Structure formats: structure tokens, C-alpha cells
Amino acid sequence: MAENLNSGDARSTTTGTTGLVHDDQHVAEQSTGTAGSTDDSLNSYQKRHRRVPPWIWIVAAIAAVAIIVGGVFAYRHRNSTGSVAATSHSISIGLKLAPTNLDIRNEAGAALDQVLIGNVYEGLVARDADNAVVPALAKSWTVSKDAKTYTFTLNAGERFSNGDALDSKDVAWSLNSLISNDYVNAQALANVESVSADGATTVVVKLKAPDATLLWNLTGRAGLVLDEDAQYDAKTQAVGSGPYLVQSFKQNESLTLKANPHYWGSHKAKTQTVVLRYLTDDNAAINALKSNNVQVLAPITENLSSSVSKDGNFVVKAGDDTDKFVLAFNGAGSKTSDKRVREAIRYAIDNKALISSRGGADAMLGGPIPTLDPGYENLTKLYPFDQAKAKKLLSEAGYNASKPLKLDLEYANIYGTEIGDQLRSQLKAVGIELNVKVVEFSAWLQDVYTNKNYDLSLVDHNESHDFYTWANPDYYFNYDNKQVQDLYAKAVSSTTNSEYESYLRKAARLVSEDAPADWLFNYRVTTAYRKGVTGFPLNLNQFQLPLWNVQYRA
């Protein structure tokens, strides 16, 4: 992709020796203000069914002198500034979703990507806070004119945390073994024909056909580089090339990261120890923040954040994300196959009211592509809240007071009942009787995802770059639009960014105009942190959470 896929800016290096639907139990969250998605559960489901002495006194004396000198310095510093701002050597962060184990190749779920990618493991390329591709292990890359050959140049002096050198052979082995063993996210490299090492610092990736999504795919698990010779228990340990090491892992409780003292690159950890604590109960999480057991909480339930935001000791901010709360209309349903019905539902929904009820942090969307993904366009004006239009369309479709439109809404209980209650109320105002069925995830999986036996369904689709679902007529949406499929195929085979985004934008507009769903809102993750915390990422922090820049000055 010519504009900015041909090369990446080199990032400085230092040479040294170094020491995706969540799983079912991980997906459960409170119904208000937090995102809970079935995306990773679905991915996991699909994969399972695919295959899927004297010196002590000397040290003590030195320490005593150090304490005295430190005390004098602190006294002088306090006198000159009025206070002492000490940088802590550790920070505790409260998270929601806990990984079952640390096996990044075999364990599905966004909880692993969130904490390991960019911290412990690194890929050829990475994502920045705006979801754009940036250099990582590869300092630059070029793309051939036919967009079928990508040549990556690695930084010099790269090493794994066990001291092994990291070179192009490790990259080639990592990508090739991912594909051949069908590890998690192997499908992202389905279009790869070969990966080879050319010298110590050059990697050549050849494609079967142009693929505009390749670079972005390499920012995730597909592009991670592992050490073929390392010996460790992948479920509880990790050997990567990142700024942190895994010090300890306690399932469902905590993951402790320790700064890698010999990290090769520019993202050297600013805090020696980072403790990630998993707090599934919202109130317990807020109490942990207030009592300083954790200094950061990500996410914090928006509707429960007021007690924190009113406290002058904390900062509460919302960051952009790619979650799309999708109210899908069965494209093959006996009633929802009528476009007039689908349009009436969209006009009847007051998206602003839904967002307000959740605390107001979420954003209007109007279409299948969120703001941080390529091809985004503000489509909220296509179906504004208009009850009169909704009633007119229902009348044209043959429904009225004596013959009301009756529909079932089935969704998993991970989202609670509030959204369903609001939708029932909003649709009732235009003459639609909505029967809301909140079920176990397994029941939703069987009824909706597998059997496609539903009228309406609700899912938080959290994946980035997931427009392909609308170009797949076999997906549970039952949405089959040949023009959309053609535009998406052209987008993927594009050789420039502008062409890629143009095709996606056109396809997304067509999808929204067809009204196969209502995109209720674009979830924005709210993070709360104690004043003195700096460098904590706000955008996309539920998927990739780079922590090298985080500091806490108590």
C-alpha cells in the first residue's frame, strides 16, 4: 500500500543481553458502562470446531550512608519545592478480564493480547494509540509494485529475554509455525505464500495475492516473534523480546511484570514492577482504587464513576475504542427481511438516549466501521431518531394498532437487561411489541449464531478491522449483498491506502443504507487513575495495553 505501507520510521535501539470473543467465563461483565463481547468467544468456538558474611556489614554501612544522604537531599528538595514527589518503583493496575493461562499461541481471548503484546512479546510491527501501524521489531519495510512481496528490515541488536539473539530466522520460524500449526489467529495469514530469512536482518513475506490488511494483521498475534529454542511452560511463563518479563502469574488474581533490564529498544520500562490485578466486581474495583490498592482502573463503569470523578485525587477519562454494539436484524427473517421493517426500527431507536443512560461516554456510530478503523465515515444522519417516519414505514409494511409488529430480541446475559428494557420501551412508542429474551451465552450461541433462528439480536462486536463480517453471507447476520462483497474484495486487493479506504467507505455506506442492523453506539472505554499517574494509554486499552511509559509519582 503505497502511501505509508512501503516504509516505517526506524526507532532507536540499544544493544544488550536481555534476562482475540473472550472465553465464556471471561466474557461476563456488568450490564452498564462496560463492554462485554462475544467476539473472542465466537473466534474460540470457530477454532475448536475447525481443528482446530562480612560483606553484609559493608553493604549495611553503605545503605545507612545512602539513607542519610537521601534524607538530606529530600529535606533540601522539600524546602525548595514545598513537597516531595517520589517516583514509585511499582504500580498496580486493576483490569477486568483475566486470561486462563499465558499461552499466546493456543489460548484465545483478548485478555492475553491486552497484557502480553507490546509488553512481553513484540511483533514485526505494532499499533499506536490511533490504531495505526508503526515500526516495532522491524524498523522499516518496503512493498513491491504488485503488492505481493513485503520486505522487512529488523533493528540491530534485538534479543529475547533469555539472552538469545533475535534475528530474521526467528521471525520466519514464528510466522511459518503459526500457519502450519494453525495457532490462534493463523487465519490472519491465510494469504501468505511464504516467509523467509534473507540474511540476519531481512525478512521477506510473499503473498498469494495483494492483501491490504496484512500489515495491520501483523500487529496482533500473527506477527509476534518467539524463540524457537526457549524452554519454558507457556501456560505460566513467557519468553519474549519486550520491555517486561513475566515475574509471576496467579490465575484469576494477578499478573506481575518486571522490567527487562536488558531490553534492546527505545521502549525501556519506566516503572520496575507492574502488578495487574483482576477485579471482576465493579464496586470492589472502585474500592480498590479509592484505598490505593490499585492506582489505575481500566475500565471503570461509567455509571459508577461519579464518586471517583468528584474526588480531587483522581482523573477519569474516556478513550476511543473499536467496540460496536450491534443490534442485528435477521436478514432472512420472515419479518425483518422486509427493508421497511428494518428502517422503521432504526428510525424508532433513540441512540442518544441509550448513550446517556450509560453515562454519556459512548459515541454515536451509524454504520459498521468505528472511528479508529480505516474507511470510517459519520453515517449517523442516514437514520436519525424519527418516530413519525418509523410509524409510516410500519404502516406501509402492513402493520398498525390492530395488527402490531411483534418481534423477539434474544441476546446473551453478559449485557444485562437494561438495554433490552430500553429498546422495548422505544419500539413500543411506534407500535412494535418487542419480546426480550436474555439467555445464557450457550443458548444464544445455539439459537442465534449457529441456527440463525432469531428476529433481533445484540452483540458487542469488539474486533477492529472486522468489516468482513458484512461481506460474509454465511455469518449469523444473514446479510447477503453482492455489491458489498465485491467492494470489500476490491478493498482487500488494493495496492494503496487511499484506494483501500475508499472501497471500504463505499461498502460501509451501502450496508448502513440497507439497514441490516442498528449500530446502537461505539463503546468508549473509561479509565480512572490516581493523580500522579502518567503515560497510561487511554485508547484501545482493552486490547493492547503498552505499559513501558507508565509512571506513578506518589
Side-chain angles (χ1 to χ4, degrees):
M1 297 173 66
E3 287 93 337
N4 62 4
L5 296 190
N6 287 343
S7 65
D9 297 329
R11 80 177 177 183
S12 60
T13 62
T14 53
T15 303
T17 303
T18 65
L20 290 92
V21 180
H22 310 113
D23 292 335
D24 296 351
Q25 71 266 33
H26 296 161
V27 84
E29 294 190 3
Q30 298 299 321
S31 61
T32 56
T34 58
S37 174
T38 60
D39 272 2
D40 294 307
S41 291
L42 297 185
N43 291 343
S44 178
Y45 176 83
Q46 289 174 312
K47 180 174 178 61
R48 290 196 303 269
H49 289 73
R50 185 175 67 248
R51 358 164 348 179
V52 273
W55 59 269
I56 292 178
W57 298 107
I58 298 172
V59 171
I62 293 172
V65 172
I67 292 171
I68 294 170
V69 172
V72 171
F73 175 80
Y75 174 78
R76 291 177 177 175
H77 184 61
R78 182 181 292 110
N79 283 348
S80 62
T81 65
S83 63
V84 176
T87 300
S88 176
H89 293 294
S90 66
I91 187 170
S92 292
I93 299 167
L95 301 178
K96 192 94 173 175
L97 300 177
T100 301
N101 63 65
L102 303 183
D103 190 349
I104 196 108
R105 291 204 138 178
N106 293 295
E107 179 69 18
L112 265 185
D113 302 59
Q114 179 187 27
V115 298
L116 294 186
I117 297 179
N119 293 318
V120 177
Y121 293 109
E122 294 180 302
L124 275 174
V125 288
R127 306 172 197 170
D128 66 10
D130 296 318
N131 211 25
V133 178
V134 294
L137 291 174
K139 65 180 181 179
S140 64
W141 54 89
T142 59
V143 184
S144 63
K145 289 184 178 180
D146 64 359
K148 292 171 62 176
T149 301
Y150 286 66
T151 303
F152 297 88
T153 301
L154 304 182
N155 291 283
E158 296 175 340
R159 289 188 176 276
F160 291 106
S161 59
N162 60 0
D164 289 355
L166 188 162
D167 60 21
S168 58
K169 291 182 180 179
D170 296 295
V171 178
W173 173 81
S174 295
L175 273 61
N176 285 324
S177 62
L178 178 90
I179 297 169
S180 61
N181 293 300
D182 195 25
Y183 293 130
V184 173
N185 212 27
Q187 68 276 10
L189 300 184
N191 196 34
V192 171
E193 184 176 85
S194 66
V195 184
S196 59
D198 182 6
T201 60
T202 302
V203 178
V204 180
V205 178
K206 292 185 178 294
L207 305 179
K208 301 170 188 175
D211 185 353
T213 67
L214 175 69
L215 278 178
W216 191 86
N217 287 338
L218 290 174
T219 66
R221 296 195 192 198
L224 296 183
V225 179
L226 283 69
D227 185 358
E228 181 180 8
D229 301 322
Q231 299 294 319
Y232 61 100
D233 182 354
K235 292 186 177 182
T236 59
Q237 300 171 315
V239 176
S241 60
Y244 280 102
L245 313 170
V246 172
Q247 185 178 49
S248 66
F249 172 62
K250 297 179 181 178
Q251 190 180 57
N252 296 322
E253 292 184 20
S254 66
L255 173 65
T256 301
L257 303 176
K258 197 77 172 179
N260 181 350
H262 305 293
Y263 174 59
W264 65 270
S266 62
H267 289 175
K268 187 174 181 179
K270 292 184 178 179
T271 300
Q272 288 299 302
T273 303
V274 176
V275 181
L276 306 173
R277 304 187 186 279
Y278 295 104
L279 307 169
T280 57
D281 181 82
D282 290 335
N283 290 311
I286 291 175
N287 288 336
L289 182 67
K290 290 182 175 180
S291 62
N292 206 28
N293 286 327
V294 297
Q295 290 76 52
V296 183
L297 197 57
I300 184 172
T301 302
E302 181 66 19
N303 279 337
L304 298 178
S305 66
S306 58
S307 64
V308 176
S309 59
K310 293 176 182 178
D311 188 325
N313 293 311
F314 302 98
V315 177
V316 179
K317 288 185 177 181
D320 292 329
D321 219 314
T322 60
D323 289 60
K324 304 158 291 293
F325 271 68
V326 180
L327 181 67
F329 314 145
N330 191 343
S334 59
K335 302 167 187 175
T336 49
S337 58
D338 189 330
K339 186 178 180 180
R340 294 169 299 185
V341 169
R342 302 195 304 268
E343 290 182 323
I345 297 172
R346 292 202 67 183
Y347 280 122
I349 294 175
D350 187 347
N351 303 81
K352 290 183 179 179
L354 286 174
I355 292 171
S356 179
S357 71
R358 290 169 51 86
D362 302 320
M364 298 278 283
L365 187 52
I369 298 180
T371 56
L372 291 180
D373 277 359
Y376 167 75
E377 179 184 2
N378 186 341
L379 299 174
T380 56
K381 294 182 180 180
L382 288 179
Y383 291 94
F385 177 50
D386 192 327
Q387 292 178 324
K389 281 189 177 181
K391 292 177 181 179
K392 183 176 183 296
L393 285 163
L394 288 173
S395 177
E396 292 175 1
Y399 301 100
N400 51 49
S402 60
K403 184 189 175 183
L405 173 61
K406 298 181 179 180
L407 296 170
D408 290 335
L409 165 60
E410 181 175 345
Y411 65 90
N413 57 10
I414 59 176
Y415 305 119
T417 61
E418 185 176 343
I419 294 180
D421 292 342
Q422 291 181 78
L423 290 171
R424 181 196 292 116
S425 177
Q426 290 187 5
L427 297 187
K428 182 179 181 181
V430 301
I432 299 175
E433 294 182 8
L434 189 65
N435 176 38
V436 180
K437 299 191 296 183
V438 181
V439 300
E440 294 290 332
F441 174 74
S442 57
W444 178 91
L445 189 66
Q446 184 66 35
D447 297 341
V448 179
Y449 185 75
T450 303
N451 295 334
K452 304 176 187 175
N453 182 23
Y454 72 102
D455 294 326
L456 278 64
S457 187
L458 171 68
V459 172
D460 167 17
H461 284 277
N462 65 354
E463 286 187 299
S464 177
H465 290 59
D466 66 349
F467 183 83
Y468 63 89
T469 58
W470 297 103
N472 179 7
D474 296 324
Y475 201 58
Y476 81 92
F477 298 146
N478 274 329
Y479 178 66
D480 190 355
N481 185 312
K482 297 297 189 294
Q483 190 175 0
V484 170
Q485 294 159 21
D486 182 58
L487 285 169
Y488 181 69
K490 289 179 178 178
V492 173
S493 62
S494 298
T495 58
T496 67
N497 273 334
S498 58
E499 186 181 25
Y500 174 55
E501 294 205 28
S502 177
Y503 282 126
L504 283 179
R505 196 174 295 112
K506 291 176 182 177
R509 177 172 280 272
L510 275 178
V511 171
S512 187
E513 288 174 346
D514 270 353
D518 189 271
W519 294 268
L520 299 179
F521 47 84
N522 182 185
Y523 168 78
R524 299 182 74 236
V525 61
T526 301
T527 299
Y529 54 92
R530 187 169 287 272
K531 285 187 175 179
V533 173
T534 59
F536 188 86
L538 298 178
N539 286 0
L540 300 165
N541 64 29
Q542 298 302 289
F543 302 97
Q544 289 194 18
L545 185 64
L547 296 168
W548 65 273
N549 199 35
V550 176
Q551 287 183 292
Y552 175 47
R553 292 181 175 86

